[in-house]
Amino acid sequence: GADIGSQKDRVVTEEEWLQKWETGNIGFHKEQGHPLLQKYLDVLLKGRSGLRIFFPLCGKAVEMKWLADMGHKVVGVEVSEQALKEFFAEHGLPYCKEPVPEISGAKKLQSTSGNISLYCCSIYDLSSSIAGKFDGVWDRGALVAVNPCDRQRYASLMITLMEKNSSYLLVTVSYDPNKHKGPPFYVPESEIKSLFGNHCEIKCLQKVDDFSDRHRQWGLDYFLEVLYILKFI
Ligand code: SAH
């Protein structure tokens, strides 16, 4: 495979993620939402309404509100309860919280209107028997945040969550992995193919130059976002 430098052994613990939320170290959060989802929304939805859309490792992604407002059912999963509470608070959405009987310690935070259900637990605790299957996925800051040693497990799980005829928009990042330890981690195209290629058709939709001061401070001199569409048959 392609060179991913020393990243293959790097591990970020759940505790470290919780700490990022507690200290407000959340430079990954996009207050205005992601322009690539706006641009490729129709590739995901194909004019259909009332879809079930999954947001793995959702943080407080505002795109969840966009899709719920369009009439879709949104399901997310996130280890940080703080992130999920901030999501509902920042959009002025009332919600209720209940345990998830199948997963010890997990909670489900659900908007009172019922169209946004966010699981507070590790994604590895979810399954299609708990969360159902999905017509669409928005994966931004998710596969690239997964520890490299867990990618296979993550991809296998995601594949089990996909309905027939579903679409999965995947945003990866590309930069010199010898210059920044991640996350986000560099995921080469060859790896996308080996993780998902046996189960779907994969197309690269766009590469965008996303280089900013933040990346310069990481010691990088280029940073790209790469968008793929995975079509499950
Ligand atoms: N997708 C979001 C958040 C990206 S950051 C966005 O685009 O803004 C990655 C998020 O994954 C963090 O909020 C972190 O708390 C969460 N996370 C990390 N490991 C996780 C796991 N195993 N299960 C669920 N959430 C996890």
Side-chain angles (χ1 to χ4, degrees):
D3 175 31
I4 60 165
S6 52
Q7 290 194 344
K8 70 174 171 47
D9 299 317
R10 173 139 161 81
V11 170
V12 179
T13 63
E14 273 186 27
E15 206 45 55
E16 289 174 90
W17 281 109
L18 298 182
Q19 219 156 55
K20 285 179 198 284
W21 281 99
E22 279 163 30
T23 58
N25 182 15
I26 53 164
F28 51 80
H29 177 66
K30 281 181 112 68
E31 261 171 51
Q32 303 305 320
H34 206 294
L36 286 175
L37 180 56
Q38 220 142 24
K39 178 166 177 185
Y40 290 97
L41 199 55
D42 200 53
V43 173
L44 185 63
L45 305 176
K46 290 181 281 190
R48 299 168 299 172
S49 54
L51 301 185
R52 299 190 80 235
I53 310 286
F54 185 48
F55 284 70
L57 283 66
C58 61
K60 55 173 180 177
V62 303
E63 298 88 348
M64 296 193 286
K65 177 72 164 46
W66 295 355
L67 284 152
D69 286 347
M70 290 176 222
H72 303 289
K73 295 262 188 206
V74 168
V75 176
V77 61
E78 166 59 53
V79 284
S80 167
E81 184 171 355
Q82 179 185 339
L84 301 180
K85 286 179 168 168
E86 287 180 15
F87 171 79
F88 288 116
E90 288 170 13
H91 296 284
L93 292 170
Y95 67 95
C96 47
K97 185 167 118 178
E98 55 183 52
V100 182
E102 302 92 331
I103 311 171
S104 106
K107 280 154 275 185
K108 184 163 90 172
L109 282 64
Q110 186 168 37
S111 62
T112 307
S113 54
N115 52 356
I116 305 179
S117 300
L118 306 180
Y119 289 88
C120 184
C121 62
S122 171
I123 188 165
Y124 305 114
D125 293 331
L126 275 192
S127 63
S128 61
S129 62
I130 299 169
K133 293 199 181 219
F134 298 97
D135 307 301
V137 169
W138 173 244
D139 180 322
R140 183 267 172 182
L143 175 64
V144 298
V146 162
N147 291 320
C149 61
D150 293 327
R151 270 178 204 159
Q152 184 65 62
R153 183 181 181 197
Y154 173 85
S156 301
L157 170 61
M158 291 302 291
I159 289 162
T160 67
L161 297 178
M162 302 306 292
E163 271 300 356
K164 285 198 171 65
N165 287 313
S166 55
S167 308
Y168 183 139
L169 280 177
L170 169 64
V171 183
T172 64
V173 295
S174 178
Y175 62 86
D176 182 346
N178 298 299
K179 293 189 172 172
H180 175 61
K181 61 186 169 128
F185 300 108
Y186 166 55
V187 186
E189 178 153 1
S190 57
E191 197 163 350
I192 305 299
K193 290 187 171 145
S194 71
L195 290 170
F196 295 100
N198 288 338
H199 300 88
C200 58
E201 183 191 308
I202 303 171
K203 200 164 96 186
C204 178
L205 294 174
Q206 198 174 337
K207 297 187 185 188
V208 195
D209 176 9
D210 190 44
F211 190 65
S212 70
D213 276 338
R214 181 160 176 257
H215 307 121
R216 198 187 313 276
Q217 280 156 19
W218 291 351
L220 303 179
D221 36 37
Y222 70 91
F223 188 93
L224 304 171
E225 282 186 316
V226 187
L227 178 71
Y228 299 91
I229 179 79
L230 281 50
K231 288 187 181 170
F232 287 78
I233 307 127

